[in-house]
Amino acid sequence: MWIEDYALIGDMQSAALIGRDGSIDWLCLPRFDSPSCFAALLGDAGNGQWWIGPADAGRPHATRRRYRGETLILESEWDTPGGTVRVTDYMPTRHTNPDLVRIVEGVSGTVEMATEIRIRFDYGRIVPWVRRSDGLLQAVGGPDSAWLHSPVPLQGGDYAHKARFEVSEGDSMAFIFTWHPSHEPRPEEIDPYEQLTATEELWAEWVERCGYQGPWREAVVRSLITLKALTYAPTGGIVAAPTTSLPEDLGGVRNWDYRYCWLRDATMTLDALIGSGYLDEARAWRSWLLRAIAGRGQDLQIMYGVAGERRLTELELDWLPGYEDSRPVRIGNGAVDQLQLDVYGEVLNSLYLSRVSGLESDHRAWTIQFELISYVEEHWDEPDEGLWEVRGPRRHFVHSKVMCWVALDRAVKHMETFGKPGPLARWKELRDRVHAEVCDKGFDPVRGTFTQSYGSNELDAALLLIPIVGFLPPEDPRVIGTVEAIQRELMVDGFVLRYPVSVDNEVDGLPGGEGAFLACSFWLAEVLSMIGRKDEAVELFEHLLSLRNDVGLLAEEYDPRYGRMVGNFPQAFSHVPLIHTARALS
């Protein structure tokens, strides 16, 4: 199954990936970053999988599938010689325990169906003890327990449970999978049809608040729904993606766990939501942020757990072979210990935009911003690992310095606009000093372009953000020169690479190649529009939209070598610039 063959369902606390063949190959419960109970995505069926589909040999792909209107309810239909059948998959808003519902409906004729479920806790490692109780299956393994309500008898064997059954036109039967801690009593069973209606109404109400009415509304709304699905409702934290270790290079080692809250990704997501009229999410995220980063400015991390956890130790799961043999499979993320100065700019920018957009003042928020700026004041001139979390030596990345300027600029504007106390004159002077240094040390006057780092000959797609964040106006010759240089040197088959990747590139610190980060190409489309090349921008943007899968989702990257999506999926870092670019072009 290719990465783009999957669709997403979720309950804003966790999420499942469902393939075109009707197989759930990834689900972590009870949270995005919990151990999985279905992990075939990173191995095979023996690592956990739940399939429902026509009983034909070979598990045929659905004839068509779609989300029901503007919701996260997935409908997959198969046309068979005997008739047509539909499977509706969704996760209702959580009450006490997480549920996943699969409703099989006969659309026409009669279709023989089959289901097969293998529950595997702890990322496919634990084969649970399974017993029957009051017509239900209960699986128990360590701290995890799951109950399966099946409207058809399931037969056990080969560490799986299977059934064949028929559905005719008008038939409807619901399967319900419920997780709960194994030490707790059996969870209360939900009404799957009532919850289906409630889930549809919830999404309809949320989408109704969307303020975007431009020509690409369908793509924008689907991206907004995806971003909302990546929000951890109890705390307001926003994960970068619901998956781990989907490779950036097929068969390679660039496999990372993205089930955490990167401040950068979360702030960009928040900006997209705010720009579309969703202030409630901004309020919830600000509360999450204040709790997560409370303390000294120097203790700021680039990422946290969904409840603000700081310890995200990176481990390798050697019992999982990885997606298409892409090893190692990792959980946790060692980049948590990196210094990435750009996150200070993203956080300060997001908090400023929240206030400008109408979010009420919060004294604690300014206190923490003051702490963060004080840290930037002391450390902005240090080398760091930068936006791309390189695992080579630290450098004076130009983008990082630009974002330090953004942090100072937004703090100054916050003080000037909202009367916040602080050393205004000193921070304005430092803001100007940072700007002057970047223009002096980060710009190559011979080639007419900004460079990846001070003294470097390499380019970096993050330089496209210079006009977007307001560091220089789009008509500035240095901006135009940088755009043209990136088009010459970083574009491959119509996509923008984030930076050159080669065996002798010491910046990256990793072997192998990678696909093109889709965000970079969206940034180019936005900047092309800003510098007056609107037709070119629209052409690139619509080409990028054509890469979305059949239900409108994007992975982190697209690899033109294989004509496939790669990286974790779906990826907030791809859907956010889609929204920004659509708004810019509109």
Side-chain angles (χ1 to χ4, degrees), residues 211-328:
Y212 177 81
Q213 299 296 333
W216 296 285
R217 188 178 188 280
E218 178 274 327
V220 168
V221 168
R222 179 50 53 194
S223 292
L224 286 168
I225 290 172
T226 303
L227 297 180
K228 178 65 172 174
L230 298 180
T231 301
Y232 185 67
T235 66
I238 303 170
V239 299
T243 57
T244 179
S245 299
L246 288 180
E248 297 171 8
D249 182 26
L250 294 173
V253 300
R254 298 170 182 263
N255 318 315
W256 316 110
D257 193 347
Y258 276 14
R259 299 170 301 153
Y260 304 112
C261 302
W262 269 255
L263 294 188
R264 176 189 308 108
D265 297 55
T267 55
M268 291 180 174
T269 298
L270 194 63
D271 293 347
L273 291 167
I274 291 172
S276 303
Y278 293 102
L279 273 184
D280 288 345
E281 284 70 19
R283 186 176 295 105
W285 180 82
R286 185 176 68 179
S287 295
W288 173 87
L289 176 73
L290 297 181
R291 294 189 303 270
I293 70 176
R296 302 177 302 172
Q298 62 263 41
D299 295 331
L300 181 77
Q301 295 186 177
I302 65 162
M303 73 178 87
Y304 298 86
V306 294
E309 296 88 351
R310 299 190 178 207
R311 192 173 294 112
L312 308 177
T313 306
E314 186 173 301
L315 303 172
E316 296 182 3
L317 308 184
D318 57 8
W319 62 88
L320 285 172
Y323 180 85
E324 295 194 10
D325 293 321
S326 303
R327 294 182 176 92

Side-chain angles (χ1 to χ4, degrees), residues 24-146:
I24 297 177
D25 288 350
W26 184 252
L27 175 62
C28 298
L29 293 173
R31 307 192 330 179
F32 291 108
D33 56 351
S34 298
S36 64
C37 50
F38 300 126
L41 180 70
L42 300 178
D44 56 29
N47 299 120
Q49 185 184 70
W50 184 12
W51 168 70
I52 297 179
D56 300 344
R59 296 191 179 182
H61 285 190
T63 309
R64 58 194 160 270
R65 61 179 183 169
R66 59 187 174 269
Y67 285 113
R68 180 181 292 187
E70 295 174 332
T71 74
L72 205 63
I73 300 168
L74 180 69
E75 297 180 333
S76 305
E77 292 183 350
W78 287 262
D79 294 336
T80 74
T84 297
V85 65
R86 176 187 304 127
V87 176
T88 300
D89 292 304
Y90 76 98
M91 293 178 70
T93 301
R94 195 171 300 187
H95 301 283
T96 302
N97 301 289
D99 297 289
L100 191 155
V101 180
R102 315 195 73 181
I103 299 175
V104 182
E105 301 173 273
V107 177
S108 65
T110 297
V111 180
E112 185 179 9
M113 298 288 288
T115 185
E116 183 173 325
I117 185 168
R118 288 180 168 86
I119 302 170
R120 300 290 186 268
F121 297 124
D122 193 26
Y123 301 105
R125 191 177 192 180
I126 296 178
V127 179
W129 170 60
V130 180
R131 68 183 181 94
R132 300 181 189 274
S133 177
D134 297 330
L136 279 70
L137 288 183
Q138 182 192 19
V140 177
D144 300 292
S145 180

Side-chain angles (χ1 to χ4, degrees), residues 378-434:
E378 295 294 325
H379 298 276
W380 71 272
D381 56 353
E382 296 178 6
D384 71 338
E385 277 90 2
L387 166 73
W388 303 121
E389 301 180 352
V390 298
R391 300 208 171 188
R394 289 182 176 179
R395 282 171 165 74
H396 290 282
F397 288 105
V398 170
H399 173 260
S400 295
K401 307 302 185 191
V402 168
M403 295 310 295
C404 286
W405 175 89
V406 169
L408 290 157
D409 180 71
R410 301 315 189 256
V412 166
K413 288 180 177 177
H414 215 125
M415 296 165 69
E416 293 177 334
T417 305
F418 301 107
K420 295 296 183 181
L424 180 61
R426 191 174 82 224
W427 287 353
K428 290 177 73 172
E429 186 276 331
L430 180 58
R431 177 186 63 177
D432 295 342
R433 183 148 52 95
V434 174

